[in-house]
Amino acid sequence: MSSVLHLRLISPAARTEDAAAVLEDCAGVTNIVVIPGAAREPAGDVIMCDAARESANEVLGRLQWLETEGSIAIEEIDLSLSKVADHAVEEAPGEPDDAVVWEELAQRVQSESRITWAYLTFLAIATQLAGIGVLQNSPILIVGAMVLGPEFGAVAAICFGLLHRRGHLVVTAFRTLVVGFALAIAITFACALVSTWLGWIDLGNLARNQEVRFIVTPDRWSFIVALLAGAAGVLSITAGKSSALVGVFISVTTVPAAGYVAVALALGDWKEVSGSVSQLAVNVAGMVIAGTCTLLVQRRFWPQVGRRSSV
């Protein structure tokens, strides 16, 4: 994650001095450039600057009027060779990795709360891999399915919606989870059912899968792992640590539980169905609780300065 952000603003000519004054007054903002009359749509002046990530919330909060009168665009800078930029980062309060740019997070969770073909496809493939891993008693396939599953984005959206009391976002993200898992389970169930008709699998496959029994035996440790994974997942998103998010996927057995549900349904093993459904519910609940609490703590230290997300 970059410690410096590049901002491009379009301001009505009559408000350009106000916008520039805000940038000059905010700690951690440097390399301010004003280009009069450069913007055509919307018409106005172009203002560019670099800002320490820790300063982004203050800048956006004080310039929120540009959302309606002009525009604001932000991009991360991969490499910045500038002593003044380094000084700006040092001048800004806190550390870049700890800063949460709330508007950025709002747009991300809004995007990941939607049902898309890519989301459904990845979840269906991951669930089928998990189902095969259950039948083959293969922890490697189970781990692969965990990594491939895209469901944490919707979980993070639920956490964000609960924190900011955005009921519509919570409902949308929850629907995305339900529809995604329902479709993935249905597809895996159909494939498993055909396999039973062909004589490829039977109840003996479930009886021999001792290596992956943890998927259908939820307990206090399952909930604790879900809590830890939920907290780590939210931190990895806000801090831009993608490698940490992969570790979260490997920790929680949401997708494997869905795959187990589908296979157990096809084989008519209702006891295993109830166990895997419980595991899925425990994991999602634990991640939502921990993720929301983590965002609550982060908001305490990195508040939205004068902003209310439109999500």
Side-chain angles (χ1 to χ4, degrees):
M1 180 183 64
S2 173
S3 60
V4 180
L5 302 175
H6 180 70
L7 282 70
R8 187 191 72 243
L9 316 174
I10 297 179
S11 169
R15 303 293 304 271
T16 298
E17 286 302 319
D18 295 336
V22 168
L23 296 176
E24 292 170 359
D25 186 56
C26 289
V29 178
T30 189
N31 296 332
I32 302 172
V33 177
V34 178
I35 309 176
R40 297 294 183 88
E41 181 58 40
D45 300 334
V46 174
I47 307 173
M48 295 182 288
C49 68
D50 296 332
R53 188 176 182 86
E54 308 94 295
S55 303
N57 287 321
E58 181 182 3
V59 172
L60 293 174
R62 296 176 62 179
L63 291 178
Q64 58 183 312
W65 50 270
L66 276 178
E67 289 185 11
T68 54
E69 299 182 33
S71 74
I72 303 175
I74 302 176
E75 59 184 352
E76 293 192 352
I77 298 177
D78 293 329
L79 177 64
S80 177
L81 302 177
S82 169
K83 288 186 177 180
V84 292
D86 293 341
H87 177 70
V89 173
E90 294 174 0
E91 184 184 41
E95 296 294 331
D97 281 354
D98 296 331
V100 181
V101 182
W102 290 101
E103 196 68 19
E104 176 187 48
L105 180 59
Q107 291 198 3
R108 177 169 181 172
V109 298
Q110 173 70 20
S111 174
E112 295 188 355
S113 69
R114 301 189 183 102
I115 298 175
T116 64
W117 286 112
Y119 167 81
L120 294 175
T121 301
F122 274 117
L123 190 55
I125 293 173
T127 304
Q128 289 188 71
L129 283 174
I132 295 172
V134 167
L135 293 169
Q136 295 298 309
N137 195 28
S138 172
I140 294 177
L141 282 176
I142 295 296
V143 171
M146 290 175 171
V147 175
L148 189 59
E151 73 281 2
F152 191 80
V155 172
I158 293 174
C159 298
F160 187 90
L162 289 173
L163 179 70
H164 293 278
R165 299 179 182 179
R166 305 292 179 181
H168 176 70
L169 178 62
V170 173
V171 171
T172 300
F174 184 74
R175 183 175 65 236
T176 297
L177 277 179
V178 172
V179 171
F181 275 116
L183 181 62
I185 290 172
I187 292 173
T188 306
F189 166 77
C191 293
L193 194 61
V194 171
S195 297
T196 61
W197 293 340
L198 294 174
W200 294 355
I201 61 175
D202 54 36
L203 282 172
N205 291 95
L206 294 184
R208 294 189 295 269
N209 66 355
Q210 297 304 309
E211 292 291 330
V212 295
R213 290 292 302 170
F214 62 92
I215 299 173
V216 289
T217 54
D219 54 21
R220 70 189 69 180
W221 297 110
S222 301
F223 187 65
I224 291 173
V225 168
L227 290 175
L228 295 173
V234 167
L235 285 172
S236 67
I237 289 175
T238 56
K241 303 293 185 181
S242 58
S243 59
L245 190 57
V246 171
V248 171
F249 293 155
I250 297 175
S251 301
V252 187
T253 56
T254 46
V255 168
Y260 212 123
V261 169
V263 171
L265 281 172
L267 295 175
D269 193 332
W270 300 106
K271 181 180 178 181
E272 302 288 68
V273 170
S274 62
S276 47
V277 168
S278 298
Q279 182 74 282
L280 179 59
V282 164
N283 283 325
V284 172
M287 286 192 294
V288 168
I289 292 171
T292 304
C293 291
T294 301
L295 285 176
L296 182 62
V297 172
Q298 290 181 299
R299 187 174 66 172
R300 170 67 180 81
F301 292 100
W302 295 101
Q304 291 176 275
V305 182
R307 293 185 68 84
R308 287 185 180 273
S309 171
S310 59
V311 174

